[in-house]
Amino acid sequence: MKTTQFSSSSSSDRRIGALLRHLTAGSDSDHLSSVYASPTSGVTGGSVFAHLVQAPEDPILGVTVAYNKDPSPVKLNLGVGAYRTEEGKPLVLNVVRKAEQQLINDRTRIKEYLPIVGLVEFNKLSAKLILGADSPAIRENRITTVECLSGTGSLRVGGEFLAKHYHQKTIYITQPTWGNHPKIFTLAGLTVKTYRYYDPATRGLNFKGLLEDLGAAPAGSIVLLHACAHNPTGVDPTIQQWEQIRQLMRSKGLMPFFDSAYQGFASGSLDTDAKPIRMFVADGGECLVAQSYAKNMGLYGERVGALSIVCKSADVAGRVESQLKLVIRPMYSSPPIHGASIVAVILRDKNLFNEWTLELKAMADRIISMRKQLFEALRTRGTPGDWSHIIKQIGMFTFTGLNPAQVSFMTKEYHIYMTSDGRISMAGLSSKTVPHLADAIHAVVTKAV
Ligand code: KET
């Protein structure tokens, strides 16, 4: 198929080339311009893209676009999950600054292409960070880790790998989930289905529904699991529930694909947040893990992440890696060097690593304090309804329960920006802005929008 398309387009190129040569030789400029004005040239006449409709903005990143356009001095962006300081400013971690300084001072560093799999030391350290230094999979060398373009890129590479080489092409994702999941996996070539996860009535986990849906999934199906700090609900299974999920999935041969975008942000501890993944690895079974350093190291724009595939043997892991390279090479050839180098410097140095865990804990604690402050502010205002989910939910987000009409009222009247599903990024709040948000929520729920 591909060969035919290629040869037919190159033969038509040849025909056009011959025609041009013929016309130029005759120096008939009228004929020449009529060739340039052919319907596919796009040089004169209407655009060949004129039929395109304006695409909508991304449901999450588009919130920032709208926020940036708003001239109001009280505007507040609680859309994208990006950490802000008490002053409402983006934060570059101190350890990141130190690591970058080290990299700059090292005059032996070069900017050559990385291998297709990325920075090898970064890959080893990333596997250790997520699976634990004593992981049997690492000890037995039956894991392959490739550096990818942050969490999104890791999910996409993993998705395409599975679509090419795994016998089951259906992936089950939580209902609801991060808005990009269905798009990533559909474009990767998988069929996307959902499993029940969140119960709006209790604003907690629909554990019964989850077990029923995974129990009914065809054997071998892929299951996307949020490792911790579920997005957008902030609701995670307990360790006992994870154990039940593990047993059910292993008994049916379901393939776990973990999305770990918030390691350290749920509990404040890197090890605690990685526990569900480590339980699945400890049983000797296979799984995929997509890691992101966007949030926990604040490396959002560096696009640094990793995809790990845990296999049954070192031999299989080696062949899996060889196939991952075939997925990556035509996609973006090889990943960027800078972000991965920063992470490697921090993870390899005991002091920097410890400093990082303290900074991470401070970010997680500030978010928890925002939860308490918002909850208290609503209580003092006597806002109708049960708002205890604000302090019960985990991670960067609160899934408020506000509906799209209420969200739009808050944006219009209070210049507060959030995704239309009522998710707010607690990391975007500060002690100064909590009263404004509480006023807006109070107004919208007492107004019956
Ligand atoms: N998984 C989840 C669950 C997730 O929330 C995000 C980002 C990612 C992966 C990818 O992050 P990356 O920057 O590619 O490492 N979520 C936030 C940002 C975004 O939508 O891109 C968000 O939900 O606001």
Side-chain angles (χ1 to χ4, degrees):
M1 182 68 175
K2 269 183 192 139
T3 334
T4 332
Q5 277 174 357
F6 187 74
S7 64
S8 81
S9 86
S10 67
S11 75
S12 68
D13 284 347
R14 271 198 305 276
R15 275 202 305 278
I16 291 171
L19 185 56
L20 273 174
R21 273 194 302 279
H22 170 76
L23 291 170
T24 320
S27 71
D28 185 338
S29 58
D30 278 357
H31 279 96
L32 191 62
S33 69
S34 74
V35 170
Y36 282 127
S38 79
T40 52
S41 74
V43 172
T44 57
S47 166
V48 293
F49 302 117
H51 62 288
L52 293 192
V53 294
Q54 183 69 31
E57 290 285 357
D58 180 81
I60 297 175
L61 302 183
V63 175
T64 304
V65 175
Y67 167 85
N68 286 339
K69 285 187 193 149
D70 186 340
S72 167
V74 298
K75 66 178 178 177
L76 184 56
N77 188 2
L78 305 177
V80 69
Y83 186 83
R84 298 285 177 265
T85 62
E86 262 292 292
E87 290 71 45
K89 298 269 183 317
L91 177 68
V92 179
L93 298 187
N94 218 16
V95 276
V96 168
R97 296 237 189 254
K98 284 187 185 171
E100 286 191 309
Q101 199 55 57
Q102 260 192 39
L103 294 172
I104 287 168
N105 292 347
D106 182 355
R107 303 298 297 176
T108 66
R109 286 186 54 78
I110 47 164
K111 302 281 189 190
E112 279 293 286
Y113 291 129
L114 285 180
I116 297 172
V117 296
L119 194 66
V120 172
E121 188 193 9
F122 162 88
N123 292 340
K124 290 215 160 74
L125 291 165
S126 293
K128 222 170 98 179
L129 182 73
I130 196 74
L131 300 189
D134 55 350
S135 171
I138 296 177
R139 213 174 38 238
E140 292 151 20
N141 208 20
R142 52 184 176 82
I143 174 170
T144 170
T145 305
V146 293
E147 178 195 337
C148 295
L149 277 72
S150 214
T152 308
S154 309
L155 292 165
R156 176 64 189 258
V157 170
E160 283 208 23
F161 169 82
L162 290 170
K164 271 201 171 130
H165 301 292
Y166 185 60
H167 65 278
Q168 259 286 5
K169 310 292 181 207
T170 304
I171 184 163
Y172 283 79
I173 59 177
T174 61
Q175 169 61 11
T177 193
W178 179 46
N180 219 10
H181 278 152
K183 300 172 197 169
I184 291 171
F185 294 120
T186 304
L187 286 171
L190 296 170
T191 301
V192 175
K193 290 197 174 149
T194 60
Y195 62 96
R196 277 172 288 171
Y197 187 85
Y198 179 73
D199 183 355
T202 61
R203 293 201 174 117
L205 187 68
N206 181 355
F207 191 51
K208 192 168 161 281
L210 179 152
L211 293 179
E212 275 171 20
D213 288 353
L214 294 188
S221 302
I222 308 154
V223 180
L224 197 274
L225 300 159
H226 296 228
C228 69
H230 182 271
N231 179 7
T233 66
V235 174
D236 285 348
T238 63
I239 281 295
Q240 291 74 25
Q241 288 169 330
W242 272 118
E243 176 52 21
Q244 273 178 269
I245 296 170
R246 187 193 66 78
Q247 283 176 17
L248 171 68
M249 285 184 58
R250 290 310 194 197
S251 74
K252 295 201 59 187
L254 301 175
M255 173 63 94
F257 192 164
F258 283 98
D259 180 356
S260 176
Y262 299 94
Q263 189 185 1
F265 256 99
S267 68
S269 152
L270 289 158
D271 287 326
T272 306
D273 288 356
K275 242 189 180 144
I277 300 176
R278 294 178 189 179
M279 286 163 62
F280 276 78
V281 174
D283 67 18
E286 298 178 303
C287 69
L288 288 85
V289 185
Q291 266 171 282
S292 166
Y293 290 96
K295 328 276 173 162
N296 59 13
M297 256 189 217
L299 293 175
Y300 306 90
E302 295 292 353
R303 312 308 294 142
V304 54
L307 170 73
S308 288
I309 304 189
V310 175
C311 307
K312 288 268 168 106
S313 70
D315 176 46
V316 173
R319 279 180 279 144
V320 165
E321 180 160 312
S322 72
Q323 291 294 337
L324 281 172
K325 285 158 73 174
L326 298 190
V327 172
I328 293 167
R329 171 67 167 147
M331 204 191 278
Y332 54 85
S333 195
S334 63
I337 195 166
H338 189 66
S341 304
I342 297 172
V343 174
V345 167
I346 295 170
L347 297 187
R348 84 159 85 99
D349 182 301
K350 211 166 174 278
N351 291 329
L352 288 181
F353 184 88
N354 288 339
E355 197 177 327
W356 173 44
T357 59
L358 296 178
E359 286 192 84
L360 181 55
K361 177 83 167 57
M363 288 194 283
D365 285 349
R366 202 188 79 72
I367 294 172
I368 292 168
S369 126
M370 286 306 110
R371 291 186 180 283
K372 289 184 184 145
Q373 288 184 33
L374 180 61
F375 177 71
E376 276 308 313
L378 292 173
R379 213 171 55 155
T380 7
R381 279 162 183 75
T383 308
D386 176 6
W387 295 95
S388 59
H389 57 288
I390 295 176
I391 39 180
K392 282 188 209 137
Q393 293 173 355
I394 284 166
M396 262 195 171
F397 304 109
T398 290
F399 204 45
T400 58
L402 296 167
N403 63 39
Q406 292 173 315
V407 170
S408 133
F409 172 87
M410 287 168 62
T411 305
K412 224 168 113 216
E413 302 296 324
Y414 286 81
H415 305 274
I416 295 173
Y417 290 79
M418 63 178 100
T419 51
S420 63
D421 58 3
R423 182 192 89 165
I424 58 177
S425 170
M426 299 307 286
L429 265 182
S430 71
S431 308
K432 268 193 256 113
T433 52
V434 161
H436 183 54
L437 175 61
D439 285 346
I441 295 178
H442 187 82
V444 84
V445 298
T446 49
K447 245 181 153 60
V449 176

